[in-house]
Amino acid sequence: MEFNKNVSNPMLVGAIELMKAEDTPEHRGMFVEELAKAEFLSPAMVNPAPAEGADGELIPAPGSKVQLPMLSTPDGAKFFMAFTDRAEFGKWQEKNQKMPAFALKLEEYAAMILRREPNGSICPALGMVINPFGANIILPREMLASMMSARMAQAQRAAAARQAGQITVPGAGGAPKGV
C-alpha cells in the first residue's frame, strides 16, 4: 500500500472494454491477466490528517491510522472501491469529500476482504468494485478467494519444481523442464 501514488492501467482498461463489448473466454483471460498486474487507487481516511510537506505534497504522520471507505448498494451490500487511474478516482471525488488515496494491489484487497478475525468475524465487504462510476466491474469475495487459491497453488508448484531441480517455463503449460 503506497500513499498518493499515481497509477495507470491502460491495458486493464482496454481488457475491460473488450470484455464488456464481447464477453469471451479470451477476453476474460486478458482481463484476469491484467488484473493480476494492476495497482488501484482507493480513497482513504487518514487520522491524523496528512500534513503538507515542503514540496506541497501531503505526507501522513508515522503511525497514522488508515481506513478505506466502502461503497454501499441500496440493499446494504458493501464493496471496497478500486480505481484504475486518477480520472476514475476523480469521478468518485466529484460526488464525495476529497480524500487522499492509497495504491493497492489485488492481493491487498483480497487480504482485507478474506481476513478472518480471531473472534471469527469477517470483513463486511462482499468484494471490490473496479471503477464504480465507470465500468463498474464487481469482483465478489468468492472470485477473489478462488484467484488467491490458484495463485498459491501455482507458487507451490513452482517452489516444488525448483526444489526438485527443475524449472517451469512460462507459457509452456507449466510443464517442468529439466535443468
Side-chain angles (χ1 to χ4, degrees):
M1 185 174 354
E2 199 171 329
F3 184 70
N4 266 352
K5 180 179 179 182
N6 197 19
V7 302
S8 178
N9 295 287
M11 296 297 288
L12 177 61
V13 171
I16 289 170
E17 292 304 317
L18 281 172
M19 192 173 67
K20 285 191 149 244
E22 188 179 2
D23 191 1
T24 65
E26 181 182 67
H27 291 163
R28 281 182 181 240
M30 288 171 60
F31 168 72
V32 170
E33 188 176 311
E34 291 302 322
L35 184 63
K37 297 186 270 185
E39 280 189 291
F40 300 96
L41 290 174
S42 178
M45 295 178 283
V46 182
N47 189 11
E52 194 172 303
D55 59 0
E57 293 290 318
L58 293 177
I59 302 169
S64 293
K65 299 210 183 306
V66 176
Q67 185 176 14
L68 304 182
M70 292 182 238
L71 269 183
S72 293
T73 63
D75 63 353
K78 295 178 187 278
F79 296 89
F80 282 113
M81 296 173 275
F83 299 95
T84 55
D85 50 52
R86 283 277 170 199
E88 288 294 331
F89 182 67
K91 291 177 186 178
W92 177 79
Q93 282 195 315
E94 287 174 11
K95 298 171 178 26
N96 297 280
Q97 73 182 42
K98 301 284 187 234
M99 287 186 192
F102 276 86
L104 284 86
K105 294 182 182 229
L106 184 67
E107 296 85 8
E108 293 170 304
Y109 282 101
M112 291 185 301
I113 294 165
L114 300 173
R115 180 182 168 154
R116 186 168 296 276
E117 298 294 332
N119 68 3
S121 66
I122 59 173
C123 176
L126 298 179
M128 61 187 277
V129 59
I130 300 171
N131 295 343
F133 297 97
N136 198 36
I137 303 290
I138 294 174
L139 301 179
R141 177 191 314 265
E142 297 77 17
M143 181 179 176
L144 290 168
S146 175
M147 290 174 76
M148 294 303 110
S149 291
R151 276 197 185 172
M152 186 175 286
Q154 182 181 26
Q156 288 171 340
R157 285 191 303 272
R162 278 192 306 275
Q163 189 174 19
Q166 301 173 331
I167 59 169
T168 302
V169 178
K177 301 286 181 189
V179 177

